[in-house]
Amino acid sequence: MALYKSPSPLSEQSRTAIAATLNERLADGLDLHSQIKVAHWNIKGPQFAALHPLFETFAVSLANHNDSIAERAVTLGGRAYGTSRHVGTHSRLPEYPQETSRDLEHVKLLAERIEVYLTGLRESRSAVEGLKDTDTVDLFTGIITEFEKHAWFLRASLEG
């Protein structure tokens, strides 16, 4: 991938690798966003009133993070890849069982998918730490911190 001119002082080789890992996380994040929306739209059960708006909060937050990830890749001179077809072939998340309706089943499924997303974020953060890109490390750390909290909330909802 040929890079565009960037204000970053990082080497072209580093910027290429960082843009690639950002695009990997963008694919996961866009997939996770769509799966959260499926849960938001289809949830039924006693926890509906609490979980329906919570899932929307997760989706809005994730959409903003996805935008930041995409913009970071472009700022480094790369491109952001995010079409549905691209995401469908590159996301590491398992497919979401769209027939699910029960509230706590959605909670379990989303918790599992957020944990997969977090694993990818941590791997990418480690990779960019090695390339001395503290700005992208900070971006990933902020997302990890927030989505660890979301995963904890979901897992705590399953305790009983």
Side-chain angles (χ1 to χ4, degrees):
M1 155 174 73
L3 294 181
Y4 295 104
K5 186 170 174 50
S6 170
S8 172
L10 295 166
S11 71
E12 186 169 329
Q13 182 180 2
S14 292
R15 291 186 293 120
T16 298
I18 296 163
T21 201
L22 285 160
N23 272 291
E24 290 169 355
R25 300 300 64 85
L26 181 59
D28 290 351
L30 291 169
D31 190 12
L32 180 59
H33 180 269
S34 70
Q35 293 190 28
I36 292 169
K37 291 301 289 189
V38 167
H40 169 77
W41 296 323
N42 292 297
I43 189 169
K44 304 279 187 271
Q47 301 299 317
F48 172 85
L51 294 173
H52 181 75
L54 180 68
F55 292 170
E56 182 65 11
T57 300
F58 291 177
V60 169
S61 173
L62 186 54
N64 289 325
H65 289 310
N66 288 337
D67 196 53
S68 295
I69 287 171
E71 289 175 351
R72 181 67 182 154
V74 175
T75 298
L76 292 173
R79 290 179 173 78
Y81 301 107
T83 64
S84 297
R85 288 179 190 89
H86 180 86
V87 169
T89 59
H90 289 85
S91 174
R92 294 170 28 162
L93 275 64
E95 179 59 54
Y96 199 84
Q98 295 190 71
E99 296 303 316
T100 303
S101 64
R102 297 304 303 165
D103 48 9
L104 294 182
E105 186 62 20
H106 281 297
V107 168
K108 177 181 176 293
L109 291 168
L110 290 180
E112 292 168 355
R113 280 145 183 82
I114 288 172
E115 289 161 2
V116 171
Y117 178 62
L118 285 166
T119 297
L121 287 168
R122 290 184 194 105
E123 290 169 0
S124 289
R125 182 175 60 183
S126 292
V128 298
E129 281 174 337
L131 296 169
K132 310 284 192 247
D133 180 3
T134 56
D135 299 318
T136 304
V137 168
D138 287 349
L139 173 64
F140 285 142
T141 298
I143 300 167
I144 289 166
T145 302
E146 181 177 341
F147 274 81
E148 281 180 344
K149 182 178 174 184
H150 296 332
W152 161 72
F153 186 90
L154 293 172
R155 288 290 181 196
S157 298
L158 295 171
E159 299 279 324

